[in-house]
Amino acid sequence: MPALAIRLRDRIARFVVAEQEPQRQALRMVMKDKSLPLMLRLKAQLELQKFSRYARPSALHSRCIESGKSRGYIGEFKLSKIVFREKALAGELPGVRKALW
């Protein structure tokens, strides 16, 4: 059950980031524009700090869509290496074969 909670938290965080990204980008542009008055830039910086902790894209972690593991993640398939191996050996991943040399 903990893996389900982790996956659910990750999905909510990704939704919040996607929803608030245009507002974050606008505030960041205002904050970095040196031609604007200092008070306006500081106000934009304070507004940016008021966003929830889930609104930061840097706080997202790549996670396996099956198990919710964050380590051993294979980005091309969005699976952890353990789940990837199980699915590849079962023939559930098209184009993936066991290496022979």
Side-chain angles (χ1 to χ4, degrees), residues 52-63:
S52 75
R53 67 183 183 145
Y54 289 127
R56 293 176 289 130
S58 61
L60 294 178
H61 298 284
S62 300
R63 292 198 173 272

Side-chain angles (χ1 to χ4, degrees), residues 64-100:
C64 173
I65 57 174
E66 294 284 325
S67 64
K69 292 175 63 72
S70 63
R71 295 188 176 215
Y73 178 77
I74 301 173
E76 187 177 342
F77 297 95
K78 297 185 180 177
L79 297 172
S80 67
K81 63 183 182 181
I82 297 168
V83 176
F84 174 79
R85 184 169 190 272
E86 290 171 357
K87 286 185 172 281
L89 290 176
E92 297 176 11
L93 298 175
V96 177
R97 292 179 34 188
K98 188 171 180 180
L100 298 172

